[in-house]
Amino acid sequence: LFVATVMMHFVSMKSAFPGLCVGVRSTMSSVAVLTQESFAEHRSGLVPQQIKVATLNSEEESDPPTYKDAFPPLPEKAACLESAQEPAGAWGNKIRPIKASVITQVFHVPLEERKYKDMNQFGEGEQAKICLEIMQRTGAHLELSLAKDQGLSIMVSGKLDAVMKARKDIVARLQTQASATVAIPKEHHRFVIGKNGEKLQDLELKTATKIQIPRPDDPSNQIKITGTKEGIEKARHEVLLISAEQDKRAVERLEVEKAFHPFIAGPYNRLVGEIMQETGTRINIPPPSVNRTEIVFTGEKEQLAQAVARIKKIYEEKANSFTVSSVAAPSWLHRFIIGKKGQNLAKITQQMPKVHIEFTEGEDKITLEGPTEDVNVAQEQIEGMVKDLINRMDYVEINIDHKFHRHLIGKSGANINRIKDQYKVSVRIPPDSEKSNLIRIEGDPQGVQQAKRELLELASRMENERTKDLIIEQRFHRTIIGQKGERIREIRDKFPEVIINFPDPAQKSDIVQLRGPKNEVEKCTKYMQKMVADLVENSYSISVPIFKQFHKNIIGKGGANIKKVITRRDSSLLLIDLPAENSNSETIIITGKRANCEAARSRILSIQKDLANIAEVEVSIPAKLHNSLIGTKGRLIRSIMEECGGVHIHFPVEGSGSDTVVIRGPSSDVEKAKKQLLHLAEEKQTKSFTVDIRAKPEYHKFLIGKGGGKIRKVRDSTGARVIFPAAEDKDQDLITIIGKEDAVREAQKELEALIQNLDNVVEDSMLVDPKHHRHFVIRRGQVLREIAEEYGGVMVSFPRSGTQSDKVTLKGAKDCVEAAKKRIQEIIEDLEAQVTLECAIPQKFHRSVMGPKGSRIQQITRDFNVQIKFPDREENPVHSVEPVVQENGDEAGEGREAKDSDPGSPRRCDIIIISGRKEKCEAAKEALEALVPVTIEVEVPFDLHRYVIGQKGSGIRKMMDEFEVNIHVPAPELQSDIIAITGLAANLDRAKAGLLERVKELQAEQEDRALRSFKLSVTVDPKYHPKIIGRKGAVITQIRLEHDVNIQFPDKDDGNQPQDQITITGYEKNTEAARDAILRIVGELEQMVSEDVPLDHRVHARIIGARGKAIRKIMDEFKVDIRFPQSGAPDPNCVTVTGLPENVEEAIDHILNLEEEYLADVVDSEVMQVYMKPPAHEEAKAPSRGFVVRDAPWTASSSEKAPDMSSSEEFPSFGAQVAPKTLPWGPKR
């Protein structure tokens, strides 16, 4: 009431006392808001009779109050008569109004337009923050006050520019924004924008609005204005004024078909340019890229009419000789009409070159332009083509998610090309950039339908597919894949629908990708995650030093021996890595669980002890000396190990505090190493002296001597230790001498003397029979290279081939030359003593004797220092040969050839030649004959053969690798029980025992399978089946696991199958136990009763609880089943409780108690709703009359004139010049 009174008084005050409002700018605010204090002060000076306020309650009065009753006028002018009668001073009119630099503006934001309406946070919160930001940014001063109607009054003070900016920000950030549109001709938009957008910016600042003008390429002529209602009206008025100014010029639009635009424009736009120059009219012809036909003329009316007439004349002239026609043709047929590489269209255009045919994408028509006769002929031909295509072609559009499109296309388009070729259709798949799901199929109607069906089937399969990235450390990838991919093959067999992709090892990526059906991918993910968890647990690693010469014997072929050692329980948990054959490392790495690794190490070491005379000795050496004994990068300890025949010396882990050092190796070498180690430790404890000397790397072998003889002699004579650099050391010239000072000095002196002798190069010669020259130079001079390496890099030169000279030249250190000559002489003696032996082994066994990559033969040649030559293979023997039965290495028969020839003379292709010393050749011959495989037969029941072979032959391969034999299983059609084993005699017994052991296992499994296949049927009413199965199969799964049986329920869709029979399969005893468990459940279910309880539907949701948590708790507590009615049920209040009678009664009592409690809350809530204020949108529905008065100044019948809001006299602003007017108070100041 207070605010309404103030507002009305203010209006009346403005009409009576315009000078009173000189401080308020009417352009800014809708009303000036006074404070309560100033209003009370003003009201105290009024006549009591004039203080009358009309009641605002329209229900109490039948007639609205008059304007004068509601808003009494201020006192008459008599109150100010004295001052009015005083004459104006002579200087009064000469005072010029002073333009204020600081202005104040007040405006009001009604409650409904406020953005922030929280009354409790007035003066704080977001609204206050915004005001502070505006003040800091603009420099204006803001004061906010809250009226009783909760409207917001804002007074802004400051410089004009700051006030304008602050006002715009306040309107945008504190007042809700409305929007409106104003339509003006498109060509007027640029005048609203102005040069560089200055006019538009000025208009936005002036009206405190945001004005959005459509872009030039947008055909819309609607300008959008956003801001307050008052600001929108002002902006709209200004925009319409600008448009009205431009309307004074004439504008005309002429529709001319697009085809004639080039004729009107003329070459290089000369024709239209001439018309524009002559008439002074602006002519706008749309460019070819814009699909518009109207030509716009702008200019003075008379001149514009002349330009239009000239353009029309040109158009009519051309139209008479030129025709534009169109043919209706579905857009999808356009490319078939054009033809492959435009062949179909070329036929028409060649006949009628003046006809222009235009196809517009997305439009179902074809446009023809050109001479009338030609156009008519072309139109007929195209219409015929369209008719023919429609009769024999069809199309269909299908929606398939764009993410599947590349899978539909396939690798290099394989899938989509197959569909196109198979069904004779065209399939248009949108590019990935469009993100479109629409696929279009065009072609033969039958083919279109078939292609559609196949594409939808492919898509539906892919929708159920899922791709998942699994993070697995790369170090586990090899383990998961397994040896020869065995483990990953098992996973893939377990989840055949899932594709598992491992990254390339070179990428160093941990991401393993799974793709397949969603459920299968999830199962496979869980399985692999469990496997990885086990691998992490099993990733403990331990190193076992095993002498290199025993690696092959310990591991065996395919790991046969090591597999014996590692139990089945450990085999899946252990990974054993052996160094490569060409590696110098002797360390075998075992990875797995710690306990298993320790046990495996013990077993491997025990094998080494069994295979050789390996001793193990523990030596106690103070831990503080360990590092000095090991030496830099292990050089010192390595020299001891090499010198003592490669023994293994194992120091305890640093920081363990243990003094025990373990030496392992052949007994004699271990004792030797022990003495040296203790001697070295004693020297280190007393006093150790070190000296470094240098010698060329090629001298080192000569200084060490054969088998370390020379260097050992130095050490024995002096007592000092000499350490040569290892292959991996950077400084290859450095030789270190360690020991007591006098011993080191003596050893240094001896070595330096040897090195000095080596530096004295001499040249010598010797005689070698030319027949032996070839032995030294074959294989790229391998023998000569070995001599040079062994004897200090001595150079040995043989005469050129073809010359008959027997002189061989040697150049190098004197000692080296002498040693090399001696070695060459030894080789010559071996060559002269060389004999050749023949070893007859049937050709069919040669490959087996050679071994993989000739490894067995190479081993024999190294062991016996002989040469072995195999004969050329006889591919097509002249005589046919009958099958030969081989037994224990002896020939049983040789076919017809054997019958005809002397049994004592073997075939040439069977003879292997061995060359070397006689005793060595004979030993090599025995070794070769021992490698000839023999065959034995083992009787295995025929029905077990497929289990022996295993899945894809895995079982038989495993045995062949383990025992190093070949196992031949007869073909199934032979029905034979005999399995043949072929291999070395030493391996046959083990292989036979292994096969028979496997047969025993299979027979035991067969018997077990027979026992497990016992079937038992139990009759159960189908209505109890869901209860026996349980929620998500929980109950039946428990029975299956507990009794180790398989339980099969009848198929509901199979009408021939009895629906009350449940089949249990397993051991007889277990099936009976499972049957009893099911019957116990049935017995309990038969005792159960069901009762319907009326329960108010309004409390159902609360009793059920979030996600059914509350109702599940009740069901578990009382051991009952509670069913609520579904939506749309006849009785929404009926709830069914099922269970044992006593449990049902207790559950019903509990539910009814809950209903009573919850229902009270529901009733209270409904009662409160009655008194709650309805939502704002509901109030708005009832129209309000508002505040109504009679005889107001703005009504037509009123004789009084309302104040003119636009009059600067009645509403003056600061600094404005006003015409002098005699007033009761004298001139304005």
Side-chain angles (χ1 to χ4, degrees):
L1 181 61
F2 165 72
V3 175
T5 307
V6 170
M7 289 169 66
M8 295 305 120
H9 267 289
F10 180 66
V11 174
S12 59
M13 284 162 64
K14 283 171 73 177
S15 61
F17 307 106
L20 186 64
C21 305
V22 82
V24 181
R25 290 177 65 93
S26 60
T27 56
M28 265 309 293
S29 61
S30 56
V31 61
V33 178
L34 304 179
T35 62
Q36 286 185 339
E37 291 79 3
S38 61
F39 176 70
E41 190 179 307
H42 161 70
R43 194 174 181 188
S44 63
L46 299 180
V47 181
Q49 288 83 359
Q50 292 173 330
I51 307 172
K52 292 180 181 178
V53 180
T55 179
L56 299 179
N57 191 346
S58 59
E59 293 177 2
E60 293 180 4
E61 289 190 3
S62 56
D63 294 326
T66 63
Y67 178 76
K68 286 187 177 180
D69 289 340
F71 308 106
L74 293 173
E76 294 297 327
K77 298 175 185 179
C80 300
L81 198 57
E82 282 183 8
S83 59
Q85 289 172 349
E86 290 177 9
W91 48 272
N93 291 331
K94 291 180 183 179
I95 297 173
R96 296 181 64 188
I98 298 169
K99 192 170 185 179
S101 62
V102 176
I103 64 166
T104 300
Q105 293 185 356
V106 181
F107 57 97
H108 185 71
V109 180
L111 173 63
E112 59 271 13
E113 292 185 16
R114 281 179 59 191
K115 265 191 186 177
Y116 304 97
K117 300 182 182 179
D118 190 352
M119 308 310 168
N120 298 325
Q121 290 192 347
F122 182 72
E124 57 187 34
E126 193 65 29
Q127 185 171 270
K129 285 181 189 174
I130 290 168
C131 290
L132 284 171
E133 284 176 21
I134 294 169
M135 287 168 68
Q136 287 170 1
R137 200 166 66 80
T138 63
H141 179 69
L142 272 66
E143 289 184 16
L144 275 72
S145 60
L146 200 62
K148 281 192 177 180
D149 65 350
Q150 303 302 330
L152 194 66
S153 295
I154 304 165
M155 184 169 74
V156 187
S157 304
K159 291 187 178 180
L160 178 63
D161 187 44
V163 169
M164 295 292 279
K165 286 180 180 175
R167 171 190 169 220
K168 185 177 178 182
D169 282 359
I170 289 165
V171 167
R173 299 180 68 181
L174 294 183
Q175 195 166 357
T176 55
Q177 303 289 293
S179 64
T181 57
V182 57
I184 64 169
K186 185 79 176 176
E187 53 268 22
H188 294 176
H189 287 189
R190 61 194 182 90
F191 299 105
V192 176
I193 297 168
K195 189 177 180 181
N196 298 326
E198 290 175 0
K199 195 163 188 177
L200 181 64
Q201 291 172 10
D202 185 52
L203 190 59
E204 286 183 335
L205 198 62
K206 184 177 173 184
T207 59
T209 58
K210 175 69 179 172
I211 301 172
Q212 293 177 330
I213 296 176
R215 295 174 63 83
D217 54 1
D218 189 345
S220 171
N221 63 352
Q222 299 284 338
I223 295 176
K224 186 178 179 182
I225 307 169
T226 308
T228 61
K229 291 180 182 177
E230 182 184 359
I232 288 170
E233 285 302 319
K234 288 180 183 176
R236 188 170 180 277
H237 176 68
E238 291 292 336
V239 170
L240 290 173
L241 277 178
I242 292 167
S243 181
E245 286 177 13
Q246 297 303 319
D247 276 337
K248 292 175 183 176
R249 298 189 71 193
V251 177
E252 187 168 338
R253 290 173 173 77
L254 181 65
E255 288 286 339
V256 176
E257 290 176 37
K258 190 82 175 169
F260 296 102
H261 287 191
F263 301 109
I264 293 167
Y268 304 105
N269 289 326
R270 284 179 195 156
L271 186 56
V272 75
E274 288 173 9
I275 296 171
M276 287 166 67
Q277 194 172 1
E278 290 172 13
T279 60
T281 303
R282 190 162 177 274
I283 303 170
N284 183 16
I285 299 174
S289 58
V290 178
N291 191 23
R292 291 172 62 186
T293 57
E294 64 176 19
I295 298 174
V296 181
F297 300 82
T298 310
E300 298 298 328
K301 291 186 179 179
E302 291 181 6
Q303 294 170 338
L304 185 143
Q306 291 176 18
V308 170
R310 288 181 64 175
I311 296 290
K312 280 184 178 178
K313 186 178 178 183
I314 294 168
Y315 167 61
E316 286 167 2
E317 286 174 0
K318 293 294 179 184
N320 291 334
S321 61
F322 193 82
T323 301
V324 177
S325 180
S326 64
V327 177
S331 59
W332 66 274
L333 284 179
H334 288 185
R335 61 196 194 88
F336 297 105
I337 294 167
I338 295 166
K340 192 174 183 181
K341 296 182 180 178
Q343 288 176 354
N344 295 348
L345 211 58
K347 293 175 184 176
I348 299 171
T349 52
Q350 284 170 6
Q351 294 173 10
M352 290 152 283
K354 292 183 180 179
V355 175
H356 173 67
I357 304 171
E358 186 177 337
F359 294 84
T360 308
E361 190 175 353
E363 289 189 9
D364 293 339
K365 68 174 184 178
I366 301 167
T367 307
L368 290 82
E369 301 170 358
T372 308
E373 291 181 6
D374 290 353
V375 166
N376 291 338
V377 174
Q379 185 173 349
E380 285 178 12
Q381 290 184 15
I382 291 172
E383 283 175 348
M385 289 168 69
V386 170
K387 189 175 180 182
D388 175 56
L389 287 169
I390 287 172
N391 289 335
R392 60 185 180 85
M393 301 283 284
D394 194 7
Y395 81 96
V396 71
E397 290 179 343
I398 54 175
N399 270 302
I400 295 175
D401 197 323
H402 68 271
K403 68 184 176 184
F404 299 133
H405 287 185
R406 62 192 184 90
H407 300 296
L408 293 178
I409 294 167
K411 191 174 182 181
S412 304
N415 285 353
I416 207 68
N417 288 337
R418 177 185 59 77
I419 291 170
K420 286 178 180 178
D421 296 340
Q422 186 174 345
Y423 302 117
K424 309 295 181 193
V425 294
S426 170
V427 183
R428 302 182 70 187
I429 298 177
D432 288 344
S433 56
E434 290 184 15
K435 304 289 184 188
S436 171
N437 297 341
L438 201 66
I439 294 177
R440 188 184 182 95
I441 309 167
E442 301 167 354
D444 177 65
Q446 188 178 355
V448 165
Q449 292 304 318
Q450 289 173 334
K452 173 187 174 183
R453 188 162 53 252
E454 182 162 346
L455 285 174
L456 289 173
E457 282 174 7
L458 283 171
S460 79
R461 281 207 300 271
M462 282 182 233
E463 278 175 1
N464 193 34
E465 271 199 0
R466 184 182 175 191
T467 300
K468 187 167 185 177
D469 289 341
L470 201 58
I471 306 298
I472 299 174
E473 288 183 56
Q474 196 182 35
R475 64 192 175 107
F476 295 132
H477 291 188
R478 185 178 163 195
T479 312
I480 293 169
I481 293 167
Q483 190 179 12
K484 297 179 182 177
E486 286 178 4
R487 294 186 75 176
I488 197 64
R489 205 178 296 121
E490 286 176 16
I491 298 171
R492 284 173 176 152
D493 290 343
K494 195 176 183 71
F495 305 100
E497 295 180 53
V498 179
I499 297 168
I500 305 170
N501 290 323
F502 283 85
D504 192 324
Q507 293 177 354
K508 303 289 183 187
S509 172
D510 294 340
I511 297 172
V512 177
Q513 192 178 72
L514 310 181
R515 195 174 83 242
K518 186 177 178 181
N519 295 337
E520 289 297 305
V521 166
E522 287 301 325
K523 288 179 187 174
C524 187
T525 301
K526 288 178 183 175
Y527 183 82
M528 291 188 74
Q529 283 172 342
K530 185 177 182 300
M531 182 185 283
V532 171
D534 292 341
L535 286 173
V536 171
E537 185 186 354
N538 299 334
S539 59
Y540 177 77
S541 185
I542 195 168
S543 298
V544 187
I546 299 292
F547 292 102
K548 191 78 175 178
Q549 63 265 35
F550 299 134
H551 279 202
K552 186 174 179 183
N553 307 87
I554 288 172
I555 305 307
K557 187 176 179 182
N561 293 347
I562 206 72
K563 284 175 185 174
K564 285 182 183 178
V565 178
I566 300 170
T567 61
R568 284 192 181 178
R569 182 174 59 82
D570 297 336
S571 61
S572 62
L573 306 174
L574 285 176
L575 177 67
I576 301 176
D577 280 336
L578 282 89
E581 285 184 15
N582 55 359
S583 168
N584 292 325
S585 173
E586 295 184 335
T587 304
I588 295 174
I589 297 169
I590 307 171
T591 308
K593 284 188 177 178
R594 183 166 191 155
N596 295 338
C597 288
E598 297 286 353
R601 179 174 67 174
S602 302
R603 289 194 288 269
I604 290 172
L605 291 173
S606 67
I607 290 175
Q608 183 178 236
K609 279 186 181 179
D610 295 341
L611 287 169
N613 182 24
I614 301 298
E616 189 175 290
V617 174
E618 291 184 354
V619 183
S620 183
I621 296 173
K624 64 182 180 181
L625 297 177
H626 289 183
N627 283 341
S628 60
L629 289 175
I630 293 167
T632 309
K633 295 183 180 177
R635 286 179 65 192
L636 184 54
I637 202 67
R638 192 165 56 241
S639 72
I640 295 173
M641 290 194 292
E642 287 172 0
E643 193 174 326
C644 300
V647 296
H648 293 148
I649 301 175
H650 179 70
F651 284 83
V653 179
E654 190 174 356
S656 64
S658 173
D659 295 342
T660 305
V661 178
V662 179
I663 308 171
R664 193 181 297 115
S667 302
S668 57
D669 293 337
V670 166
E671 283 302 318
K672 193 175 174 184
K674 179 181 176 183
K675 284 179 185 176
Q676 289 197 25
L677 201 59
L678 289 171
H679 179 66
L680 194 60
E682 189 181 343
E683 285 182 357
K684 291 281 181 185
Q685 275 182 317
T686 54
K687 190 176 181 184
S688 183
F689 186 72
T690 304
V691 166
D692 291 337
I693 61 173
R694 292 187 173 275
K696 293 178 182 177
E698 54 265 29
Y699 294 164
H700 290 188
K701 278 193 176 181
F702 184 77
L703 291 172
I704 293 166
K706 193 169 184 180
K710 287 186 179 180
I711 206 67
R712 198 180 302 114
K713 188 178 176 183
V714 171
R715 194 187 68 243
D716 292 343
S717 64
T718 62
R721 172 164 297 283
V722 184
I723 302 170
F724 287 85
E728 61 269 17
D729 290 343
K730 289 183 180 178
D731 195 346
Q732 290 291 310
D733 292 351
L734 192 68
I735 300 171
T736 306
I737 309 170
I738 299 172
K740 292 180 181 177
E741 187 173 357
D742 54 347
V744 168
R745 295 294 182 196
E746 194 177 341
Q748 180 184 4
K749 190 176 177 182
E750 286 190 28
L751 283 174
E752 283 176 346
L754 284 170
I755 293 165
Q756 192 174 359
N757 288 338
L758 291 173
D759 286 336
N760 296 329
V761 177
V762 297
E763 188 172 324
D764 201 354
S765 62
M766 65 182 294
L767 300 177
V768 177
D769 195 320
K771 67 181 180 181
H772 299 312
H773 288 191
R774 185 172 179 277
H775 174 80
F776 289 94
V777 297
I778 59 172
R779 295 193 297 278
R780 297 182 182 179
Q782 184 178 344
V783 176
L784 294 179
R785 278 201 308 274
E786 288 172 0
I787 292 170
E789 285 175 10
E790 192 173 348
Y791 299 104
V794 68
M795 291 173 60
V796 183
S797 300
F798 277 78
R800 291 178 182 275
S801 60
T803 61
Q804 293 301 313
S805 173
D806 56 358
K807 185 179 179 182
V808 176
T809 306
L810 295 90
K811 188 176 182 181
K814 187 177 180 182
D815 293 345
C816 294
V817 167
E818 289 301 324
K821 282 173 70 176
K822 190 177 177 183
R823 176 64 185 141
I824 291 170
Q825 198 62 46
E826 287 174 2
I827 293 170
I828 291 167
E829 287 175 8
D830 285 343
L831 290 172
E832 287 176 348
Q834 186 170 291
V835 296
T836 301
L837 284 184
E838 292 183 352
C839 179
I841 295 174
Q843 188 183 33
K844 62 182 178 180
F845 299 127
H846 286 188
R847 183 173 291 177
S848 175
V849 169
M850 287 181 186
K853 298 180 181 178
S855 59
R856 291 175 178 170
I857 290 301
Q858 289 168 12
Q859 187 65 41
I860 292 171
T861 55
R862 279 196 299 270
D863 292 347
F864 301 105
N865 194 21
V866 294
Q867 299 292 323
I868 300 173
K869 185 181 179 184
F870 279 79
D872 293 335
R873 188 170 182 80
E874 191 178 273
E875 297 293 340
N876 299 309
V878 178
H879 304 288
S880 61
V881 181
E882 294 293 332
V884 179
V885 178
Q886 173 77 18
E887 193 164 355
N888 299 327
D890 299 326
E891 296 289 341
E894 291 277 341
R896 283 198 299 272
E897 185 180 326
K899 289 175 186 176
D900 298 338
S901 61
D902 183 5
S905 58
R907 296 181 302 165
R908 287 178 61 190
C909 63
D910 296 340
I911 295 171
I912 300 169
I913 297 170
I914 309 168
S915 302
R917 284 184 175 269
K918 187 176 180 181
E919 62 276 11
K920 299 281 188 184
C921 289
E922 288 172 353
K925 182 179 179 182
E926 288 177 11
L928 280 175
E929 288 172 345
L931 292 175
V932 176
V934 294
T935 302
I936 61 170
E937 294 179 346
V938 182
E939 190 171 342
V940 177
F942 173 73
D943 58 337
L944 296 179
H945 286 192
R946 61 196 183 98
Y947 300 111
V948 170
I949 294 168
Q951 191 175 22
K952 296 181 180 177
S954 60
I956 202 83
R957 271 200 307 274
K958 186 179 177 184
M959 279 196 285
M960 288 196 293
D961 291 342
E962 186 177 346
F963 301 116
E964 300 184 40
V965 295
N966 182 40
I967 301 173
H968 176 69
V969 180
E973 55 268 16
L974 297 177
Q975 299 281 314
S976 173
D977 292 342
I978 302 300
I979 290 179
I981 305 176
T982 305
L984 302 181
N987 297 336
L988 289 179
D989 291 338
R990 289 193 304 112
K992 182 178 179 180
L995 181 59
L996 293 174
E997 183 64 30
R998 178 63 180 149
V999 169
K1000 284 182 185 177
E1001 288 178 9
L1002 291 171
Q1003 286 173 339
E1005 287 174 11
Q1006 207 171 34
E1007 290 171 8
D1008 187 60
R1009 272 197 302 274
L1011 292 172
R1012 285 182 66 89
S1013 60
F1014 180 78
K1015 285 190 177 181
L1016 184 67
S1017 294
V1018 58
T1019 304
V1020 176
D1021 194 319
K1023 69 181 180 181
Y1024 297 132
H1025 289 189
K1027 292 291 181 184
I1028 295 168
I1029 293 167
R1031 190 166 180 265
K1032 294 184 179 178
V1035 177
I1036 202 67
T1037 303
Q1038 182 64 30
I1039 295 171
R1040 282 175 178 151
L1041 294 173
E1042 189 177 337
H1043 300 288
D1044 189 23
V1045 293
N1046 181 35
I1047 302 172
Q1048 192 69 37
F1049 283 83
D1051 187 356
K1052 292 180 181 178
D1053 300 329
D1054 190 352
N1056 300 324
Q1057 191 176 358
Q1059 294 297 304
D1060 58 353
Q1061 293 295 316
I1062 299 174
T1063 306
I1064 309 169
T1065 308
Y1067 293 115
E1068 185 175 359
K1069 187 178 176 182
N1070 292 359
T1071 55
E1072 289 171 355
R1075 177 194 62 191
D1076 295 343
I1078 290 171
L1079 291 176
R1080 275 198 300 275
I1081 294 170
V1082 172
E1084 289 175 5
L1085 292 171
E1086 286 175 344
Q1087 292 175 13
M1088 289 184 180
V1089 295
S1090 290
E1091 280 195 37
D1092 292 340
V1093 187
L1095 203 67
D1096 195 303
H1097 66 276
R1098 292 174 293 176
V1099 300
H1100 285 191
R1102 288 197 61 182
I1103 290 172
I1104 292 167
R1107 297 184 180 177
K1109 191 174 180 181
I1111 197 65
R1112 274 201 300 275
K1113 188 177 177 183
I1114 294 169
M1115 290 195 290
D1116 292 343
E1117 184 180 346
F1118 295 101
K1119 295 182 175 56
V1120 294
D1121 182 55
I1122 302 172
R1123 298 288 172 191
F1124 286 83
Q1126 294 183 345
S1127 58
D1131 186 358
N1133 299 329
C1134 182
V1135 176
T1136 305
V1137 184
T1138 306
L1140 296 173
E1142 60 274 13
N1143 293 347
V1144 169
E1145 288 178 11
E1146 289 177 10
I1148 289 172
D1149 290 343
H1150 181 72
I1151 293 170
L1152 291 173
N1153 289 338
L1154 288 176
E1155 179 199 25
E1156 188 177 346
E1157 181 185 334
Y1158 295 155
L1159 204 54
D1161 293 344
V1162 171
V1163 171
D1164 291 346
S1165 176
E1166 289 178 349
V1167 170
M1168 287 296 293
Q1169 288 294 328
V1170 176
Y1171 298 101
M1172 292 291 283
K1173 183 180 177 182
H1177 65 274
E1178 291 182 11
E1179 288 183 353
K1181 290 178 183 176
S1184 173
R1185 284 184 66 205
F1187 183 73
V1188 182
V1189 295
R1190 289 182 291 115
D1191 303 329
W1194 53 82
T1195 57
S1197 59
S1198 175
S1199 59
E1200 293 184 24
K1201 185 182 176 185
D1204 185 2
M1205 301 275 293
S1206 62
S1207 169
S1208 58
E1209 289 184 4
E1210 297 194 17
F1211 293 93
S1213 58
F1214 282 132
Q1217 185 69 40
V1218 183
K1221 186 175 179 181
T1222 306
L1223 294 174
W1225 302 282
K1228 296 178 186 175
R1229 290 184 174 83

